[in-house]
Amino acid sequence: MASKLSTQLLVLVAVLMASMSPEVLATKDGTVTLGKKHTHIRVYVHEKFSGQNATVGTVAPSQPSQNGTMGPVAPPQLGPMPNATFGRVDVVDDALRVGQDAASELVGRYQGMLIGSDLDGNSSYISVMTLVFNAGKHNGSTLSLQGRYDSLVGGEVIERAVVGGTGGLRMARGYSLLKMVSTTKEAAVFELNLFVFTPRIRF
């Protein structure tokens, strides 16, 4: 009898501990299921960096003085600035499309900012981006990305974390991979693959 009671108690404790994990969710029929839903989303970011319809711009440029320092906004201990992008802030409102072609279906916007944050001359940024879906399968949902953003050259890939989402992608976690697929003097197209994990049921 004591052994049976101990077993039941252990099972109860295990269920209570498991219920605290976001990977253990109760379904409508009262059963318990493990795991998360995995979604792969591929979209294309269409960016215009010049002309009347530019979708990216600098709102706070780096401010080096004539002697190579950041002038009044930089602490004296920083000394000469090897990277002219440090402290620069760019804002982005690019189109999200289903394909590389500029005429392909528009499904949302790629909005956010890039902040120059690297003193060693690598022109690296901290990026904070939100994908706003207003058409297609994920209409009404958003995904938030955050991470380091280096200048893309050739076939390089930038990996950033998926740190959240709303709507059908609520409580999203995962990662994203961004690479440039074409570029001209006025525009560029990036392929963005998102590997997203969300709870199997919505809260």
Side-chain angles (χ1 to χ4, degrees):
M1 180 69 179
S3 176
K4 183 178 180 181
L5 184 60
S6 297
T7 301
Q8 291 175 337
L9 183 60
L10 286 172
V11 170
L12 178 60
V13 171
V15 170
L16 287 173
M17 291 180 66
S19 66
M20 299 177 187
S21 168
E23 295 189 3
V24 182
L25 306 169
T27 60
K28 290 182 180 179
D29 61 5
T31 60
V32 174
T33 180
L34 299 176
K36 294 182 179 181
K37 179 182 177 183
H38 172 249
T39 304
H40 174 211
I41 302 172
R42 177 180 292 140
V43 287
Y44 290 83
V45 179
H46 290 251
E47 183 169 286
K48 295 182 179 180
F49 35 78
S50 65
Q52 260 189 336
N53 298 316
T55 60
V56 59
T58 300
V59 295
S62 178
Q63 300 180 20
S65 66
Q66 292 182 354
N67 63 4
T69 67
M70 291 289 288
V73 300
Q77 64 268 25
L78 287 180
M81 302 299 295
N83 187 350
T85 64
F86 184 78
R88 170 175 160 176
V89 179
D90 293 345
V91 292
V92 178
D93 185 10
D94 295 338
L96 278 182
R97 298 185 180 274
V98 298
Q100 298 183 38
D101 193 321
S104 61
E105 181 186 359
L106 180 69
V107 293
R109 308 297 299 182
Y110 177 78
Q111 300 173 330
M113 60 181 176
L114 301 165
I115 304 170
S117 55
D118 199 333
L119 285 170
D120 64 7
N122 287 332
S123 297
S124 296
Y125 297 80
I126 294 298
S127 69
V128 181
M129 296 291 172
T130 298
L131 282 74
V132 182
F133 295 99
N134 50 34
K137 180 179 179 181
H138 303 290
N139 184 23
S141 300
T142 69
L143 279 176
S144 295
L145 313 181
Q146 185 173 317
R148 181 180 169 117
Y149 187 101
D150 297 310
S151 298
L152 283 169
V153 180
E156 293 179 0
V157 176
I158 290 176
E159 179 174 350
R160 288 171 294 175
V162 175
V163 296
T166 64
L169 299 169
R170 188 178 299 160
M171 297 179 67
R173 292 292 184 273
Y175 66 98
S176 68
L177 300 174
L178 180 78
K179 68 177 181 179
M180 183 184 293
V181 293
S182 68
T183 183
T184 66
K185 291 182 178 180
E186 295 184 349
V189 178
F190 304 87
E191 179 182 285
L192 179 59
N193 283 283
L194 302 121
F195 301 89
V196 181
F197 299 87
T198 51
R200 289 186 181 276
I201 62 171
R202 293 180 60 187
F203 291 92

